[in-house]
Amino acid sequence: MKRKCFIAVVVLLMGVGGWLLYYLSDQQVIKRTFTALAVSLSKDGEETPVMIALKMKPVKDFIAPACEVTVPERNYHEMLEPGLITHYLIAYRSRQANLHVAMEEILVKIPSKGRGEVSALVHVTANYNQPDFFEETHRVMFSLQKQEKNWLLHKATLPDALVRR
């Protein structure tokens, strides 16, 4: 009887340990971060400046001090600081009555220690129940680097359609 209990406890601990390794893996941490950022970028109706600041803080904290932004269709290639990127995002959000952003098909590759490559479909729905309603899905690419146990966005490749609205 003691042996069966011991085996059950060992199997349970191995199962919990395996789940923790999966949950805390770099790939899963990155996926959860991108999903949370999509929620931060979404909005329903008017927001106070404090609400905007609270929503943009995780976004700003995720961006490296110098982030390369590329829009291939426009031949745009620029190194931007987090404050400028969040300012652009705030301006983009303010032009929409409501906005829902979802990250779908998040594919994460870790080519080397401390480096990550992410490809995701960004599904944007804005101004629902409005005459200027739009719904779009675009493939975006990101490069990340791990610094002090945190993943930071170092490069974003965005389609022109996503940044022109």
Side-chain angles (χ1 to χ4, degrees):
M1 183 66 172
K2 288 182 184 180
R3 182 180 168 107
K4 286 182 182 180
C5 284
F6 177 75
I7 291 172
V9 168
V10 168
V11 169
L12 180 65
L13 287 175
M14 287 175 54
V16 170
W19 180 82
L20 281 173
L21 285 174
Y22 170 78
Y23 183 78
L24 298 173
S25 70
D26 286 335
Q27 290 177 330
Q28 293 307 310
V29 168
I30 291 169
K31 284 181 182 182
R32 285 194 305 276
T33 301
F34 274 98
T35 302
L37 290 177
V39 171
S40 291
L41 293 174
S42 298
K43 82 173 209 177
D44 279 322
E46 293 296 316
E47 296 174 328
T48 65
V50 172
M51 290 171 60
I52 294 168
L54 289 173
K55 283 188 151 195
M56 290 296 110
K57 183 172 179 9
V59 175
K60 187 176 181 181
D61 291 345
F62 182 62
I63 301 169
C67 181
E68 180 181 343
V69 177
T70 303
V71 182
E73 296 93 343
R74 289 188 181 187
N75 251 356
Y76 179 82
H77 178 83
E78 193 84 34
M79 295 297 284
L80 302 174
E81 62 183 32
L84 191 57
I85 293 171
T86 54
H87 181 72
Y88 168 78
L89 291 170
I90 290 168
Y92 182 89
R93 293 173 79 247
S94 70
R95 291 191 301 265
Q96 316 307 327
N98 45 54
L99 178 69
H100 178 73
V101 180
M103 295 279 191
E104 302 167 351
E105 296 181 22
I106 302 171
L107 305 171
V108 180
K109 293 181 184 172
I110 310 291
S112 63
K113 186 174 172 76
R115 290 191 54 237
E117 301 293 329
V118 177
S119 171
L121 285 178
V122 175
H123 186 92
V124 179
T125 307
N127 303 323
Y128 36 92
N129 297 328
Q130 304 284 325
D132 56 345
F133 168 83
F134 69 90
E135 184 173 17
E136 301 174 343
T137 302
H138 303 284
R139 172 77 52 195
V140 294
M141 307 293 287
F142 302 101
S143 293
L144 309 170
Q145 288 185 358
K146 195 170 192 178
Q147 294 177 329
E148 299 177 16
K149 298 184 181 181
N150 293 318
W151 287 97
L152 297 179
L153 180 66
H154 277 262
K155 182 179 180 183
T157 303
L158 309 169
D160 179 53
L162 191 61
V163 295
R164 91 174 105 95
R165 282 197 181 266

